[in-house]
Structure formats: structure tokens, C-alpha cells
Amino acid sequence: MAYSDVLFEVKNQIAWLTINRPDRGNAFRRQTVLEMYQALNEARVDAHVRVVVITGAGDRFFCIGGEKEKNDGQLHYHNVPPVVDLYQLIDMLPVPVIAMVNGFAVGGGNVLANMCDLTVASEQATFRQVGPMMGSYDAGFGTWYLEDAVGRKRAREIWYLNRKYTAQQAQALGLVNEVTPHAELRARTEAMCEELKQRGPQALAALKAAFHARHNGVTGLSRVTIDHLVANYYHTDEAKEMGRSFNAKDKPDPEKFYR
């Protein structure tokens, strides 16, 4: 897929995904979301990728949310940006995803940053929800995950009152892990990536699956059972013996059980 709205590169086992619409505040349209989804899928199937970083182009905007695009007026899937698919994919990625917030994270941009596993913010970053002020909202991932991050009362404050929060205030609330001088944002994010690369990738993937399972029912459970438990079970002596006996049409050797 040729990208027009995003930049994507993999370097030193880090996948960098940049929303490249600075003249539009790095707002996402349907095409942007489709490209982000494709890029994240590329990272997902690349065994060498250990961390993903999502950011916005330029020095002012991380992302100011979604654009209201013209459509045929019909209420169908093709008339909305597939952001739910994008959020689910971020959850399903077996590697940590870092939001590198370089400026305004507003509306859907604030939700996007909160959907990432970790957030590093520039001192000049600003966080805000504006949906009820402009005829929009993002219920679901935008509310449940926010409540997990900041608590029930603060989440409702953020959504109902639409106030602006500085990077330092966002960190105090629980929206941000680290705040750094703007000139050091990239270096600090890379340093965090290097920390994560020193951790066991299977362990991190299992932890992500467990966090994912909390909110996502059967799909979340399947990420644990199929992606981890069953995937490892296939390599056990027991699984191999059961496969052998089934194909040979004879009884399995009980000595191979639990091994």
C-alpha cells in the first residue's frame, strides 16, 4: 500500500508511524485511518519489530481528531473512519505501542494517545476532549479506557467539561507516563524503546494480551489462549504425541502427557 497520509519506517527494531497531515492539525480522515491500520499490520507481522511509536508530523500537533468528511448520507460502515478497527489493532499488537505526543492531542487524538500502552509527552503538549462542544463523541474505547487511566470522576470531567490539560497536568491525572523538554522528545522516546527491547518479548506480548482480555470478551480471551497458550502447547511432547497417535490411528503414549 502506498501511503499518502502517514509516514512509516522501521529502524533498529522500532516501527515509527507518523500522521503526516500537519497542515490539518494531523487530523485523521478515513484514508488516514486505513493507512495507519495497514502500517500497524505491517509492524504486527514483522518479527523484528519490538516497539511501535505513533506520533504526528511537525512541532504543533500530535492529532486533533477526526475530520467530518462529505458522504452519501447513508448510515453504513464506509462513511465513517474505521477508528474502532484501529483501536482494536493497537490492543492486539504483540509489542508495546508508545504515543510520542509532540503537541495538541485533542478529541480523537487524545483517545489515540490513551489507547497506546505508554505515552511520552513534550512539555508543550496539550490534552483535551471536545466532542460535546462540536457535535461528536467517542464512547467505548474513548470512555472505558480513559476511566481506567484517570478514574471515574476525572474521566467524566474530561468528557463533560472539555477542559484543556497541560502535559504536566495530564501526567498527574494518569494520561501521560513521562514529560520531557520538547527538544528531547525523540531521544527520550528512543530511550524508552531501548528499555522495552531489553524485556522478554513473549512476556510483554502475554501481558498485552491479558490487558486486552479485560475489556474485549471472547476476542481478548482468544488472544491469551490461541496466541500464547495454544501456540506454545503445539510444541509440547503431549501435543506432538496426540497428533502422531491420531494420524497413526493408535493409542497415545501416556508417558508423553504433561510434557
Side-chain angles (χ1 to χ4, degrees):
M1 181 176 182
Y3 297 121
S4 63
D5 285 13
V6 306
L7 304 174
F8 180 69
E9 68 170 340
V10 176
K11 185 177 181 180
N12 297 327
Q13 299 181 298
I14 305 168
W16 296 87
L17 174 56
T18 304
I19 303 174
N20 190 31
R21 305 185 76 214
D23 58 324
R24 305 289 295 180
N26 291 322
F28 56 78
R29 55 181 177 169
R30 180 177 174 81
Q31 180 65 25
T32 315
V33 178
L34 290 173
E35 291 183 16
M36 293 178 73
Y37 190 90
Q38 175 64 28
L40 289 176
N41 256 325
E42 285 190 42
R44 184 183 182 192
V45 299
D46 186 340
H48 299 291
V49 170
R50 297 287 306 281
V51 190
V52 172
V53 179
I54 298 177
T55 191
D59 291 325
R60 291 192 61 201
F61 304 104
F62 172 73
C63 173
I64 61 169
E67 291 184 348
K68 293 181 179 179
E69 299 177 77
K70 292 182 179 180
N71 57 56
D72 59 15
Q74 301 299 309
L75 298 175
H76 57 71
Y77 174 77
H78 298 286
N79 275 339
V80 296
V83 290
V84 174
D85 296 341
L86 177 65
Y87 297 157
Q88 286 183 317
L89 182 55
I90 291 172
D91 255 0
M92 291 190 301
L93 285 175
V95 298
V97 180
I98 298 174
M100 187 174 79
V101 181
N102 51 317
F104 286 94
V106 179
N110 186 50
V111 177
L112 176 62
N114 193 47
M115 282 302 304
C116 296
D117 298 291
L118 300 166
T119 298
V120 182
S122 159
E123 287 180 336
Q124 70 182 36
T126 299
F127 297 80
R128 190 183 191 186
Q129 288 301 154
V130 293
M133 296 177 67
M134 56 175 295
S136 178
Y137 60 85
D138 190 337
F141 284 112
T143 52
W144 287 16
Y145 278 47
L146 182 64
E147 185 174 5
D148 276 355
V150 304
R152 179 173 176 267
K153 295 290 186 178
R154 287 297 191 184
R156 295 183 187 214
E157 170 191 316
I158 291 168
W159 268 110
Y160 295 174
L161 299 178
N162 311 128
R163 293 170 176 165
K164 295 179 182 179
Y165 301 90
T166 66
Q168 292 80 4
Q169 289 172 324
Q171 184 178 31
L173 285 171
L175 283 172
V176 170
N177 296 95
E178 294 188 15
V179 177
T180 184
H182 187 74
E184 301 173 14
L185 180 60
R186 172 89 180 206
R188 181 57 211 136
T189 303
E190 289 178 339
M192 183 178 284
C193 291
E194 292 303 318
E195 283 188 81
L196 289 167
K197 285 163 59 177
Q198 298 304 310
R199 305 298 180 262
Q202 290 188 61
L204 290 178
L207 287 167
K208 278 208 66 170
F211 282 121
H212 176 64
R214 180 171 182 262
H215 279 310
N216 293 282
V218 67
T219 60
L221 178 62
S222 295
R223 291 293 158 197
V224 175
T225 59
I226 295 176
D227 289 359
H228 297 279
L229 299 180
V230 172
N232 286 318
Y233 177 69
Y234 289 153
H235 298 288
T236 64
D237 289 348
E238 175 179 300
K240 294 174 183 177
E241 175 61 13
M242 298 308 295
R244 183 208 62 77
S245 66
F246 179 83
N247 291 325
K249 296 183 174 57
D250 63 10
K251 293 182 179 180
D253 178 3
E255 294 298 318
K256 301 291 180 67
F257 292 173
Y258 304 110
R259 296 174 58 191

